[in-house]
């Protein structure tokens, strides 16, 4: 991790402090190296607050004009500014927190500071467009000039970024998203009879998900999402948890218990999506030894690691009949399920785990 003499600050949106203070067990993949850093040096954590300062109307106007998620009123409190002032190395764990800190960069001398930013989800970078507007491009170029390293959790997104902004190619790095393999461990000898649907991002194909559930009345579904409502589901073949990661209504331990009830994890995604949707769900399922069926969408994050019929089952079509046929096919083939489970867990054990993630991050931010 960063040099021991450095003061390093991790900048998050929400959901981290609550987990740390709770004293309960939780996975560490969404902390992006924080716990490894804190062992060796002065390490700080700041995150969005729900309190808005008196200047919030200004940032609302900026968001409306530039159409970028700049929530400076939730980040630049006096306490957080003081922490940033005393930081040598900043790690922004998504681009939204970095955008929100931009007024601080304009008003303060930061040339001596290291600034590393994780970019994830082109729905936030390109605002659902294929190209930036003039204002967006000016803003984004200004943002990129301020940072040292742009870190992507999707190889596809890194390549897309290089195509859009080739002059910043020396700043772009790919680190595969990885999970806490020591937390996500299957509990043995449990009956698994449910199909899992987990996620809230906008790239999921919720209409397709709803149609699948409504056309498979004999299957039991567990839905963890705030995007699907009970009244659009026809049968009593589901359990619905209205939850998301930030609010932690469903604890991580409870989520792990739900994985233990599931025989299949399905991740239908809009085929045109550039965002690496389903990344954490797929890898958590891998670790929990739940076979994964996912759309073969445009933004699949690593096509060298994710292999159809080896460690994952890709579905090419977005039709409900195609999905149902493939679900039935996989559920009928025990040997294929075992193959996917074995190879997926092996991928986590040998590659996509936090130990490897820390080493890769250390190499990038200290290069």
């Amino acid at each position: 991790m960063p040099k021991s003499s450095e003061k390093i600050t991790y900048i998050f949106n929400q959901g981290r402090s609550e987990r740390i203070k709770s004293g309960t067990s939780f996975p560490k993949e969404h902390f992006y190296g924080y716990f490894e850093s804190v062992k060796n040096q002065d390490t700080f954590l700041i995150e969005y607050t729900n309190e808005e300062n008196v200047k919030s109307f200004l940032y609302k106007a900026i968001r409306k004009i530039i159409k970028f998620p700049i929530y400076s009123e939730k980040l630049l409190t006096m306490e957080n500014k003081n922490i940033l002032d005393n930081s040598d190395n900043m790690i922004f764990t998504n681009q939204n927190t970095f955008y929100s800190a931009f007024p601080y960069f304009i008003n303060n001398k930061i040339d001596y500071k290291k600034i590393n930013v994780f970019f994830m989800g082109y729905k936030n970078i390109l605002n659902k467009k294929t190209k930036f507007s003039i204002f967006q491009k000016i803003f984004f170029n200004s943002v990129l000039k301020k940072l040292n390293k742009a870190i992507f959790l999707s190889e596809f997104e890194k390549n897309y970024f290089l195509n859009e902004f080739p002059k910043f190619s020396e700043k772009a790095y790919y680190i595969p998203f990885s999970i806490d393999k020591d937390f996500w461990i299957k509990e043995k000898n449990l009956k698994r009879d449910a199909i899992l649907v987990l996620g809230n991002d906008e790239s999921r194909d919720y209409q397709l998900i709803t149609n699948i559930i409504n056309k498979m009345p004999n299957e039991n579904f567990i839905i963890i999402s705030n995007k699907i409502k009970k009244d659009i589901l026809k049968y009593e073949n589901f359990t619905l948890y209205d939850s998301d990661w930030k609010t932690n209504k469903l604890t991580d331990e409870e989520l792990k218990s739900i994985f233990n009830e599931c025989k299949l994890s399905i991740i239908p995604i809009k085929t045109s999506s550039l965002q690496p949707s389903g990344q954490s769900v797929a890898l958590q399922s891998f670790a929990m030894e739940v076979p994964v069926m996912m759309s073969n969408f445009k933004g699949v994050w690593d096509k060298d690691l994710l292999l159809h019929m080896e460690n994952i089952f890709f579905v090419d079509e977005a039709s409900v009949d195609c999905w149902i046929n493939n679900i039935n096919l996989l559920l009928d083939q025990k040997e294929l399920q075992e193959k996917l489970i074995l190879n997926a867990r092996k991928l986590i054990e040998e590659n996509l785990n936090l130990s490897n993630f820390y080493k890769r991050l250390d190499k990038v931010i200290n290069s």
Side-chain angles (χ1 to χ4, degrees):
M1 298 308 296
K3 297 174 183 177
S4 59
S5 59
E6 289 183 333
K7 293 184 178 179
I8 180 172
T9 298
Y10 281 78
I11 300 94
F12 299 100
N13 44 31
Q14 286 175 289
R16 277 77 180 178
S17 294
E18 181 182 349
R19 280 173 167 80
I20 293 173
K21 292 174 183 176
S22 70
T24 59
S25 176
F26 57 85
K28 298 179 175 62
E29 58 257 23
H30 292 294
F31 287 79
Y32 305 103
Y34 168 77
F35 289 102
E36 189 71 7
S37 295
V38 80
K39 295 176 185 177
N40 304 315
Q41 62 204 29
D42 290 333
T43 302
F44 303 91
L45 181 157
I46 63 178
E47 63 182 5
Y48 279 173
T49 175
N50 288 323
E51 298 177 7
E52 295 188 5
N53 65 28
V54 293
K55 295 182 179 179
S56 62
F57 71 91
L58 172 62
Y59 298 117
K60 288 177 182 177
I62 293 173
R63 285 195 291 274
K64 187 172 182 179
I65 294 170
I66 301 182
K67 300 189 184 304
F68 265 77
I70 302 172
Y71 293 94
S72 304
E73 68 272 29
K74 293 188 175 187
L75 181 65
L76 297 181
T77 63
M78 287 304 300
E79 180 182 358
N80 288 348
K81 285 179 183 177
N82 288 336
I83 294 174
L84 294 177
D85 285 342
N86 291 303
S87 299
D88 302 305
N89 193 332
M90 303 178 194
I91 298 179
F92 291 87
T93 59
N94 63 45
Q95 65 271 14
N96 294 358
T97 53
F98 183 52
Y99 302 155
S100 300
F102 197 65
Y104 172 86
F105 300 144
I106 294 174
N107 294 324
N108 293 271
K109 183 176 177 60
I110 60 166
D111 294 343
Y112 67 95
K113 298 178 185 289
K114 293 180 183 177
I115 300 174
N116 306 281
V117 183
F118 282 93
F119 283 86
M120 57 188 83
Y122 261 82
K123 80 179 181 66
N124 288 332
I125 297 176
L126 292 181
N127 198 34
K128 300 181 182 178
K129 299 177 181 178
T130 56
K131 296 290 182 182
F132 281 123
S133 69
I134 292 272
F135 290 118
Q136 288 176 316
K137 200 149 193 171
I138 291 172
F139 174 75
F140 199 61
N141 272 280
S142 300
V143 162
L144 293 176
K145 288 177 182 177
K146 293 290 184 182
L147 60 81
N148 297 96
K149 306 287 172 62
I151 303 169
F152 294 85
L153 298 174
S154 161
E155 188 171 35
F156 174 86
E157 284 196 315
K158 176 199 166 187
N159 293 334
Y160 200 93
F161 169 86
L162 293 177
N163 185 59
E164 290 286 314
F165 300 95
K167 69 179 180 179
F168 295 110
S169 60
E170 76 284 354
K171 294 187 176 187
Y173 294 83
Y174 166 53
I175 301 178
F177 181 72
S178 302
I179 62 160
D180 188 344
K181 69 180 180 64
D182 297 323
F183 178 88
W184 300 109
I185 298 176
K186 175 185 177 181
E187 188 174 336
K188 305 297 182 183
N189 302 320
L190 287 179
K191 183 180 179 181
R192 295 185 163 198
D193 61 2
I195 297 175
L196 178 64
V197 177
L198 169 59
N200 291 299
D201 71 66
E202 294 181 15
S203 293
R204 302 295 173 87
D205 194 335
Y206 296 106
Q207 185 60 59
L208 177 56
I209 292 169
T210 302
N211 290 339
I212 291 169
I213 297 171
N214 284 338
K215 287 197 172 186
M216 300 189 78
N218 295 323
E219 289 291 347
N220 176 33
F221 290 85
I222 297 180
I223 308 163
I224 305 173
S225 177
N226 54 30
K227 302 291 187 181
I228 298 176
K229 304 304 178 185
K230 281 186 178 181
D231 56 7
I232 62 174
L233 299 173
K234 293 181 180 180
Y235 305 104
E236 299 297 321
N237 62 333
F238 66 92
T239 302
L240 176 62
Y241 297 91
D242 181 0
S243 184
D244 59 61
W245 191 87
K246 291 179 185 177
T247 59
N248 202 24
K249 292 179 185 176
L250 193 69
T251 68
D252 298 300
E253 285 286 355
E254 289 170 335
L255 178 58
K256 183 164 71 170
S257 295
I258 290 171
F259 270 110
N260 278 311
E261 299 175 30
C262 297
K263 60 184 178 181
L264 177 64
S265 176
I266 63 169
I267 313 175
I269 299 167
K270 296 171 185 175
T271 54
S272 61
S273 174
L274 303 178
Q275 180 182 350
S277 181
Q279 202 169 26
S280 59
V281 178
L283 299 190
Q284 289 162 2
S285 299
F286 285 1
M288 292 296 298
E289 301 182 37
V290 181
V292 174
M293 182 174 289
M294 186 172 73
S295 300
N296 192 14
F297 64 106
K298 194 171 184 179
V300 171
W301 54 92
D302 194 319
K303 293 191 176 181
D304 292 327
L305 292 178
L306 301 180
L307 303 175
H308 177 54
M309 302 285 277
E310 292 294 325
N311 52 34
I312 194 169
F313 193 112
F314 281 122
V315 178
D316 292 323
E317 296 181 32
S319 72
V320 62
D321 289 339
C322 181
W323 267 87
I324 290 174
N325 288 339
N326 281 302
I327 289 172
N328 288 328
L329 172 70
L330 182 54
L331 292 179
D332 285 341
Q333 296 192 31
K334 298 301 180 184
E335 287 187 8
L336 177 56
Q337 291 177 47
E338 290 301 320
K339 178 183 178 181
L340 296 179
I341 288 169
L342 180 65
N343 289 334
R345 179 68 199 189
K346 185 178 180 182
L347 181 63
I348 300 298
E349 290 284 352
E350 296 181 356
N351 194 324
L352 302 179
N353 57 73
L354 292 187
S355 178
N356 287 339
F357 183 87
Y358 295 151
K359 292 174 184 175
R360 290 160 177 156
L361 179 61
D362 182 38
K363 185 176 180 180
V364 167
I365 64 179
N366 285 314
S367 62

